[in-house]
Amino acid sequence: MASDVHPVPRRATAPPAALDLLAQARAGLAEAAALDTPNERYATAHLAALRTAAAVIAVRGRPERDPRGRRRIRSAWDVLPETAPELAEWSALFAAAPPAGPARRPAYPARPPPGTPTT
């Protein structure tokens, strides 16, 4: 019998929200593979990875609160290594990647520098 390369403690069942996130991530990866534009493919795959990280955090639980008893707002890539140390390397990779998605793009085109001729 073969054993897992990276054994992961598993619950008998995962919460429905985590399973839904994994299904969305799987669909997102399939969508990304079919896209022609590299930027769209990257953004879609990055979103799938983020949904996967959220599912792992949902199953494993959240890290401890800070000493003042409040939770800080942190990205999934910051929280993931605390809840799933075996995924720390992947988390660092995605945390270092350029942000994906329309929220990180300007809402309107940048203005040309002063003195630039207009048509």
Side-chain angles (χ1 to χ4, degrees), residues 5-107:
V5 174
H6 298 289
V8 177
R10 294 183 177 101
R11 291 183 181 177
T13 60
L19 295 175
D20 186 48
L21 284 166
L22 288 175
Q24 290 177 33
R26 184 177 290 119
L29 286 177
E31 179 185 349
L35 291 171
D36 294 327
T37 308
N39 288 345
E40 290 176 356
R41 196 168 44 242
Y42 171 82
T44 304
H46 193 119
L47 182 58
L50 187 57
R51 286 181 171 139
T52 303
V56 170
I57 293 167
V59 170
R60 297 278 184 95
R62 297 179 186 213
E64 297 294 322
R65 294 174 184 250
D66 73 6
R68 295 181 302 206
R70 298 185 330 200
R71 290 191 176 147
R72 296 181 327 204
I73 297 174
R74 302 182 332 177
S75 79
W77 306 126
D78 292 336
V79 175
L80 189 61
E82 296 173 24
T83 56
E86 69 278 8
L87 298 175
E89 193 172 343
W90 282 105
S91 184
L93 176 75
F94 281 103
R104 304 294 183 166
R105 292 187 207 118

